[in-house]
Amino acid sequence: MKIIARTPARLAASAALALSVTAGLAVTTAPAAHAVGENSKCTVNWSNAAGKVKANGWNLRTGPSTGYSSRGYLYNGDRLNILCSRGTWDYTELSARSKSGLPKGTRGWVRSDGLYQLAG
């Protein structure tokens, strides 16, 4: 049987290895990027869902109700990626600059009755 001395250097190397293994597990078990943050309020996640705004002056909100503030307006034809939903609200990301000037990639909540659901 070989006895290994527990020197401070060996303990530090052992701790670093344990942390790297733990960090690797955290990364592999983390939820999808769109399942974290504002849209933690989602009850249904979508993959590859697209939508198009069918009304003018539709609010892009910070949360899934009219009680949340608006980030800006969306107009007929603006295109979105639908990331997830909660009830009648969809958490979305603009796939191109909106007609009102909101930049591509802006995320927010939109009432689903103002969207056409498009095939992914």
Side-chain angles (χ1 to χ4, degrees), residues 94-112:
L94 284 167
S95 55
R97 185 177 184 84
S98 73
K99 292 179 181 178
S100 66
L102 292 171
K104 176 182 177 177
T106 301
R107 290 183 173 194
W109 292 86
V110 179
R111 245 183 37 224
S112 57

Side-chain angles (χ1 to χ4, degrees), residues 15-37:
L17 177 61
L19 285 175
S20 68
V21 169
T22 303
L25 290 175
V27 171
T28 59
T29 60
H34 67 270
V36 178

Side-chain angles (χ1 to χ4, degrees), residues 7 13 16 28 37 42 44 46 51 53-54 59-60 65 70-72 75 90 92-94 97-98 100 102 110 114-115:
T7 64
T28 59
C42 290
V44 176
W46 301 103
V53 178
K54 66 180 179 179
N59 280 299
L60 181 68
S65 80
S70 176
R71 291 204 160 126
Y75 290 90
D90 294 323
T92 63
E93 178 180 71
L94 284 167
R97 185 177 184 84
S98 73
S100 66
L102 292 171
V110 179
L115 299 177

Side-chain angles (χ1 to χ4, degrees), residues 45-56:
N45 286 312
W46 301 103
S47 65
N48 241 0
K52 187 166 96 173
V53 178
K54 66 180 179 179
N56 285 322

Side-chain angles (χ1 to χ4, degrees), residues 57-63 65-74 102 109:
W58 215 248
N59 280 299
L60 181 68
R61 296 193 176 273
T62 58
S65 80
T66 56
Y68 288 89
S69 62
S70 176
R71 291 204 160 126
Y73 293 109
L74 301 173
L102 292 171
W109 292 86

